[in-house]
Amino acid sequence: MKKAILAATAATSAVGLSLVLAPTAGAHGVWGQDRASVPFTAATVTAGADGSYTLTWAADAARTRHVQIKANGRVVARGGASGRAVVTGLPAADRQWFDFAADHGRGLRLADRLVKLEGAVNFRDAGGYRTASGQWVKMGEVYRSDALGRLTPADEAKLRRLGVTTVFDLRTADERAKSPDKVPAGATYQVVDVFAGSGSFRTMPRTPDEAVKAMVDAEKVMVSSDAGKAAYTQVMNGIRHDDRRAVLYHCTAGKDRTGWSSAALLTALGVPRETVLADYLASNDYRKAANDAILSHLPAPQAAVYKPLLDVRPEYLNAGYDEVTATYGTFDRYVAEGLGLDARELKDLKKDLLVG
């Protein structure tokens, strides 16, 4: 096995570990220098349906000569300042973690963002993103999801092993009654109804345009309503105070109320808005099969009305940011007044959740 790993040829046996290595940029540097900052400007882990993992990375090319990546304590890829590797043959795991390290600076611990469950399709890590200042949001600390009512016993056991200690349910009373959460044993469950008393989605839109308007209006309610402010303040405080993290927040589809929760958290942490938008829009990919199944059972005119309700679109999220500007003037003021985090508390949150 060791010989196969070092050779890393296309002929490597399918049994065990197979690597595709990026060309190296030079010899090993001095590992561990400048440990305060993270040299990586980009890094991703993408799990394949066949059990493989595609790793991509880019680091400061002026200073980085060598990158190595470990899984389960073993080196599975090596390369230069930027590269791509496909890793196969790793044992099954709840989440497969990879440790990215360069010859200077701090390393990154990353996994595929999606956590595969039998009873939820949009359960994913809120972290793994780079901030404008070059720090990274830790993974394994905060999760986002769709409803938990269909979790299987195996799903619940997986969430226990992932360390989910607090669950924030952003749904309405009707939604909770129709599909009560299945909360992992030992986790604290808190109701934080974003739409309480708002009247949002009490009537069904009659046209696609009305559906789009309903989604835009709902986004504004999330930002400026009393219930929305109270709910997201509770979530942020829960994340900040929970030393046992991981924290999970969710709604029904895991895309709108949950989407704004992630958008608010990531923006407060300094993640660029275009990255936040990409995270928000990812629900379209993760929910595609479920959404297509719903639409396929509806007459075409009704499906046309439902589709904007099932989608996430840039104009929805942008409506939330526009509401922040209209109501608070700046995002910093929204963090302080809408999310209840003063400068010291935000600094503490960043200290807890950011690397670098």
Side-chain angles (χ1 to χ4, degrees):
M1 176 64 69
K2 183 177 181 181
K3 183 177 180 181
I5 292 173
L6 294 177
T9 66
T12 301
S13 171
V15 179
L17 190 63
S18 171
L19 286 80
V20 178
L21 297 183
T24 60
H28 290 261
V30 180
W31 297 86
Q33 291 183 341
D34 187 21
R35 297 299 296 174
S37 62
V38 175
F40 294 97
T41 57
T44 61
V45 174
T46 305
D50 60 355
S52 67
Y53 294 88
T54 300
L55 317 177
T56 65
W57 68 90
D60 179 0
R63 304 175 63 197
T64 304
R65 301 180 65 193
H66 184 82
V67 168
Q68 72 175 22
I69 303 170
K70 292 183 177 181
N72 308 325
R74 301 173 63 190
V75 176
V76 295
R78 295 188 179 97
S82 62
R84 176 182 181 273
V86 178
V87 181
T88 64
L90 295 177
D94 292 332
R95 295 189 79 187
Q96 180 59 61
W97 290 91
F98 294 86
D99 295 303
F100 291 66
D103 45 19
H104 70 98
R106 296 188 64 167
L108 284 176
R109 184 169 173 80
L110 302 176
D112 187 285
R113 190 160 283 108
L114 181 68
V115 177
K116 293 182 179 180
L117 300 173
E118 297 172 11
V121 299
N122 201 11
F123 191 110
R124 47 193 166 111
D125 203 304
Y129 294 113
R130 188 173 186 262
T131 71
S133 65
Q135 296 174 292
W136 284 75
V137 183
K138 295 177 185 177
M139 299 192 85
E141 299 278 332
V142 181
Y143 293 101
R144 52 175 295 172
S145 181
D146 44 349
L148 308 182
R150 296 184 178 180
L151 294 187
T152 65
D155 291 338
E156 293 182 68
K158 180 180 286 190
L159 298 195
R160 287 198 301 273
R161 291 193 297 271
L162 292 179
V164 173
T165 57
T166 305
V167 175
F168 289 102
D169 190 340
L170 306 170
R171 300 176 300 164
T172 65
D174 287 346
E175 291 171 298
R176 300 193 305 271
K178 290 176 183 176
S179 181
D181 270 355
K182 294 181 179 178
V183 179
T188 301
Y189 172 76
Q190 298 188 44
V191 172
V192 285
D193 185 346
V194 172
F195 288 147
S198 71
S200 296
F201 299 109
R202 294 297 174 87
T203 59
M204 180 66 190
R206 295 167 295 178
T207 68
D209 286 346
E210 286 186 4
V212 169
K213 184 178 185 302
M215 298 300 288
V216 167
D217 290 345
E219 198 79 20
K220 295 177 181 179
V221 167
M222 296 177 205
V223 171
S224 57
S225 71
D226 289 341
K229 288 185 290 185
Y232 292 121
T233 294
Q234 193 169 342
V235 171
M236 294 298 168
N237 282 331
I239 294 171
R240 188 169 61 86
H241 288 303
D242 194 338
D243 294 332
R244 303 178 302 152
R245 281 190 295 262
V247 172
L248 164 65
Y249 47 78
H250 80 91
C251 54
T252 294
K255 66 184 187 72
D256 301 306
R257 288 161 288 185
T258 298
W260 182 254
S261 191
S262 277
L265 173 64
L266 294 175
T267 305
L269 292 175
V271 175
R273 185 159 159 180
E274 60 268 26
T275 303
V276 176
L277 177 61
D279 176 71
Y280 174 77
L281 294 177
S283 284
N284 284 332
D285 296 324
Y286 293 123
R287 293 200 54 82
K288 186 178 188 306
N291 291 347
D292 287 350
I294 293 171
L295 295 174
S296 69
H297 290 87
L298 298 175
Q302 190 175 2
V305 176
Y306 262 83
K307 190 175 188 311
L309 303 178
L310 299 177
D311 287 348
V312 284
R313 301 181 180 183
E315 58 262 44
Y316 301 168
L317 184 63
N318 289 339
Y321 283 114
D322 290 345
E323 187 71 5
V324 166
T325 300
T327 305
Y328 299 96
T330 67
F331 202 89
D332 287 344
R333 282 190 60 192
Y334 171 63
V335 170
E337 299 173 18
L339 303 180
L341 295 178
D342 62 27
R344 179 186 59 79
E345 292 167 337
L346 178 58
K347 183 178 180 180
D348 288 344
L349 185 66
K350 289 181 176 182
K351 183 178 180 180
D352 283 347
L353 292 184
L354 298 180
V355 175

